[in-house]
Amino acid sequence: MIRKVKGTRDVLPPESRLWAEVENTAHRVFDGFGYDEIRMPVMEPTELYVRSVGEDTDIVAKEMYTFADRKGRSLTLRPEGTAGVARSYIENGLGQRPQPLRLSYFGPMFRYEKMQRGRYRQFAQIGIELLGAATPAADVEVLLVLHTFLAELGFDDLVIVLNNLGDPEDRPVFIEQLKSELEPRRVELCSDCQRRWDANPLRILDCKVARCRELVADTTPVADVANPEARAHVEAVEAGLNDLGIPVRRAPRLVRGLDYYLRTVFEVVSPELGEDTVICGGGRYDRLIADLGGSQVPGIGFAIGEDRLVEVLPEVFRQEVFDRPLIAVLPIGPDAAAPGLSLSRRLALAGLAAPAEVTGRSLKAGLKWAGKIGARAVAILGESEIAEGTVIVRDLENSEQKTVRLDDVAEYTRRLLARSVEASTGSESNDGHERVG
Ligand code: ATP
Ligand code: MG
């Protein structure tokens, strides 16, 4: 038996329906705010990530799937989406389009990590990028889109945490300050942080080792060292979010694991997964496109980890997805096969889920099958129904049945299934929407 690659997953039905519905919701919300999808390659030249994410980050230093292709070029399976968006922006001259440019992306990312709950080697991200706007309003918009999307999924317990990294010019001052404060306890830092000390000291704040976290807990927050403009920027973002009723919490030591961020950085955490298992990360990256050889184009965006998001989806959302009503089509007898499929098509095009029995089961066996796949009703097509242009629709919950004209069957079934959904959920409304934060 051949087994899947370690760290990859099969998302099976019906679980896969949750993923599809999460993605549909994301498209609906993102499209509503004017974000159009960009579809990028899953492999890029390795250099792209080295130059953008940064050589001394965990991602580039130890997590990339990098390989030489048959001509010896170094390629990397994308570990994140923003670098690819920046590359595409430059390569396709997207700066020529009306700015700001709003983009969304969906798809698999790859990181060679230690497997554990919520941490996979192939995982999916859902992200947006807002390019060409440097104002605080742009940051507020991106966080508003995030908040709206999560609220549409029915979340009411997620927390958005935010910090101010300042500008790259502030970094040496901050690093000097950080090092002087940590110097007396330097030997207590983990071996990774010993290496970071010279290579990329900011990353010490991002270390997951408990002792390192304790040691950095009392250091001066990076925001305190930020220049006045950067401070005013992030304070304006917070004020804008406050005006919109979006709660965010300052996280003074949040730095995020990618080098290109400046000023606003943020994360979304869930009480269920804990602060170590972040659902979404994002921030501003005003120098990234210039650093990759493009012009000065500011940007801000976020990436949601879809695997982690699906794991903590609110019960209301799960139920709505799993309770999708089904009507099974039962053609009885060899001459009923084609009319049965035709009926399936008619119902499917009317927006109903109507799988047909195609293995030649008898009526009795067909009813049993319909019960097993969770059908609420069956549409029975026998010789006389076909001759008369009718269908027998049977409600499996109360065994009531009615002969319906083919032209009316979709409408009749829709009403019948809607009644059965109402009966099973108690009502058609649910309020779990609107509160995130
Ligand atoms: P972490 O601190 O958990 O390693 P990260 O800072 O490396 O996360 P980002 O690069 O910001 O993560 O990616 C954005 C989101 O993608 C994360 O918040 C998380 O939800 C998801 N993610 C990152 N790595 C993985 C992974 N290996 N498996 C599943 N989801 C992941
Ligand atoms: Mg990581």
Side-chain angles (χ1 to χ4, degrees), residues 358-369:
V358 291
T359 64
R361 285 183 169 96
S362 67
L363 177 60
K364 194 173 163 217
L367 285 168
K368 210 168 153 192
W369 167 75

Side-chain angles (χ1 to χ4, degrees), residues 24 96 106 138 163 203 254 282 285 328 420-421:
N24 290 340
Q96 310 294 318
F106 297 76
N163 197 17
R203 294 273 77 80
L254 175 67
Y285 49 85
S420 93
V421 167

